[in-house]
Every structure is written in structure tokens, then in C-alpha cells.
Amino acid sequence: RQVTDETSEFDFLFDGVTYTIEDTSAVEVSDVRGGYTRRFSDTSTLNLSAVATRSDNLKTDSREGRVAFNADYRRPVTGQIDFTAGTRVAYIDYKDNDTQDEIIGVDVGLSCQLLSDLDLSGKIGHNRRNSDVGSREYAENWVLVSLEYQIR
């Protein structure tokens, strides 16, 4: 259990001057996590994880619950290149307006170790959010390219 804060910021322009209004409220977050990793004889790995989270806004009495499941697979293609694939599903329950959302995501990619402390990776993916509230629904395709350097 953790107490954190949630901040909303609003900017508006009046007579050529921009004003910022900030509203901060305390949020109590409780979560339970679990996972399982399986290493296969071909050095590929499968990671499964689940998390259940509940967030209570102490100022507004709103409550949000989330249950999420992730599965990630990594398999070496060569000595320096790995194939990756992942999927995730999240169910979100908003108690203040009694609505539910479902988020589904999939991705595939390659990761390459260029040097002992330098990695290059790329992924493509698709996310979809289904909701009881039409304005929260979306579907998106995305591309990620990253260069990661580990300072030792």
C-alpha cells in the first residue's frame, strides 16, 4: 500500500497572459503482483505476470480497480539478435461512474546487442481500448526504436 498524489493542471489564456491552475489530491494505491519465468533448453524465455491494483482518491472518493496480465517471449536468433513477442490484457473498473474498460496489446520485435553495454531494439505493436464510454475507445498501431547504453 502506498500513498502518492495525483495532479491535474489546466492552462488558460486571458488578456494575453497564460494562467495555470493546478489541483493536487492524495491517492492511496494498493497492488498485488505475481509472476513466473520459464527458461527453455534453447535459451528462450517466457515471462508471465499478473497485477491487481486499486487506487482510491482520498479527496474525491473515486476508486479505480485494475487487473492486468502480461506474457512476454524472447528467443535468440543469433548470438547477438533476439526475437521478442508480447501480449497484455488489462481490465479497468471505475467505481465513481460504474464503467469498465478493456485494453489489449500485442507486439513483436528484434533486439540486437551491438556491444557489451550497447543494445539496439525495434518493435511494432497494436493496442486497442474498448470501453463502456465511447470517448475512451481507441485503436493504435505503433513503432518503437530504441538505443540503450548501460553505464558501468
Side-chain angles (χ1 to χ4, degrees), residues 2 12 17 22 25 30 35 42 45 53 56 62 68 76 85 91 100-101 103-104 108 116 118 121 123-124 128 141:
Q2 175 183 4
F12 65 93
V17 178
E22 191 174 281
S25 59
S30 303
D42 63 357
T45 58
T53 305
D56 295 303
S62 66
Y91 302 98
Q100 290 82 33
D101 289 5
I103 302 172
I104 301 168
V108 294
S116 63
L118 183 65
S121 63
K123 289 184 179 183
I124 59 171
R128 176 178 301 278
N141 297 315

Side-chain angles (χ1 to χ4, degrees), residues 81-101:
I81 299 175
D82 291 345
F83 166 79
T84 62
T87 186
R88 59 209 61 44
V89 177
Y91 302 98
I92 307 168
D93 186 35
Y94 301 96
K95 293 291 185 194
D96 55 336
N97 58 7
D98 198 30
T99 60
Q100 290 82 33
D101 289 5

Side-chain angles (χ1 to χ4, degrees), residues 8 26 45 80 95 99 140 146:
S8 299
T45 58
Q80 288 81 25
K95 293 291 185 194
T99 60
E140 65 182 1
S146 69

Side-chain angles (χ1 to χ4, degrees), residues 59-121:
K59 183 178 180 181
T60 63
D61 258 359
S62 66
R63 179 181 297 164
E64 176 183 312
R66 174 186 288 248
V67 176
F69 303 97
N70 297 319
D72 292 302
Y73 178 73
R74 176 178 291 270
R75 180 186 176 104
V77 177
T78 67
Q80 288 81 25
I81 299 175
D82 291 345
F83 166 79
T84 62
T87 186
R88 59 209 61 44
V89 177
Y91 302 98
I92 307 168
D93 186 35
Y94 301 96
K95 293 291 185 194
D96 55 336
N97 58 7
D98 198 30
T99 60
Q100 290 82 33
D101 289 5
E102 173 188 71
I103 302 172
I104 301 168
V106 294
D107 62 72
V108 294
L110 292 174
S111 177
C112 178
Q113 184 176 11
L114 300 175
L115 301 170
S116 63
D117 50 4
L118 183 65
D119 292 337
L120 173 66
S121 63

Side-chain angles (χ1 to χ4, degrees), residues 4-56:
T4 185
D5 68 344
E6 179 179 88
T7 302
S8 299
E9 190 173 291
F10 305 97
D11 293 334
F12 65 93
L13 184 65
F14 180 74
D15 200 23
V17 178
T18 301
Y19 296 90
T20 301
I21 297 174
E22 191 174 281
D23 181 35
T24 303
S25 59
V27 177
E28 185 178 66
V29 179
S30 303
D31 67 7
V32 176
R33 298 173 184 269
Y36 173 76
T37 299
R38 169 70 190 225
R39 297 188 192 282
F40 299 98
S41 60
D42 63 357
T43 68
S44 61
T45 58
L46 175 65
N47 293 314
L48 303 173
S49 64
V51 61
T53 305
R54 182 175 135 179
S55 301
D56 295 303

